[in-house]
């Protein structure tokens, strides 16, 4: 089985106070990762399993060591195109919905801000800024 591995090629990342912004130069897309997803992305080196990543989240952020949290983060990273490998990971445990992860974290007294979240937006290229004006 392949452990999750984050994509690093063609990306520019900047860590801010409580989030990480990643710009994908090839797709001209900016992604904002909250602390939970950023930590998973940072540590997903292909050597660590989902369970190891869950333990890292627990030690660094105080989140319960729940593989479902990691799987949700990996699912969002995969959808954003920020992982090299992930397909095999999905079979490791049952998929967990965002709602279920939020419920489990709330029961553990963890802020809703720690539920894995990736927000993406397409950045305009200079060519997109050119407008076609047809003279009358």
């Amino acid at each position: 089985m392949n452990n999750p591995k984050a994509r690093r090629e063609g990306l520019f990342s900047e860590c801010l106070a409580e989030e990480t912004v990643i710009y994908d130069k090839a797709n001209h897309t900016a992604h904002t990762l909250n602390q939970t997803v950023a930590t998973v992305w940072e540590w997903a080196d292909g050597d660590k399993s989902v369970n190891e990543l869950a333990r890292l989240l627990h030690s660094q952020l105080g989140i319960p060591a729940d593989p479902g949290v990691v799987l949700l983060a990996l699912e969002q990273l995969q959808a954003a195109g920020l992982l090299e490998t992930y397909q095999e990971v999905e079979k490791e445990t049952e998929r967990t919905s965002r709602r279920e992860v939020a419920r489990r974290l709330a029961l553990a007294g963890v802020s809703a801000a720690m539920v894995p979240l990736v927000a993406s937006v397409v950045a305009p290229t200079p060519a997109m800024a050119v407008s076609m004006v047809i003279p009358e």
Side-chain angles (χ1 to χ4, degrees):
M1 173 190 17
N2 293 331
N3 290 328
K5 184 174 182 183
R7 185 177 138 228
R8 307 281 182 211
E9 291 282 320
L11 301 177
F12 172 77
S13 65
E14 184 71 33
C15 294
L16 304 173
E18 293 185 9
E19 61 189 15
T20 298
V21 176
I22 298 174
Y23 181 73
D24 185 340
K25 297 172 189 173
N27 299 322
H28 303 289
T29 307
H31 309 280
T32 302
L33 285 56
N34 72 355
Q35 279 186 311
T36 306
V37 180
T39 302
V40 170
W41 182 76
E42 183 181 315
W43 286 98
D45 57 8
D47 294 331
K48 293 173 189 63
S49 69
V50 169
N51 290 328
E52 290 171 311
L53 291 170
R55 286 190 293 274
L56 279 166
L57 282 178
H58 177 67
S59 67
Q60 289 195 346
L61 303 177
I63 294 174
D66 182 351
V69 174
V70 176
L71 289 173
L72 181 58
L74 290 171
E75 193 175 296
Q76 292 184 15
L77 288 167
Q78 177 69 22
L82 298 175
L83 290 181
E84 287 183 20
T85 58
Y86 172 63
Q87 285 72 17
E88 297 295 320
V89 174
E90 199 168 9
K91 298 174 188 167
E92 189 169 317
T93 59
E94 258 183 59
R95 284 188 57 186
T96 306
S97 71
R98 182 172 171 77
R99 180 175 289 166
E100 177 62 24
V101 168
R103 188 184 70 75
R104 285 193 282 199
L105 291 178
L107 288 172
V110 177
S111 167
M114 299 308 279
V115 175
L117 177 66
V118 174
S120 303
V121 64
V122 176
T125 63
M128 291 176 179
V130 176
S131 64
M132 296 285 292
V133 178
I134 301 172
E136 291 184 32

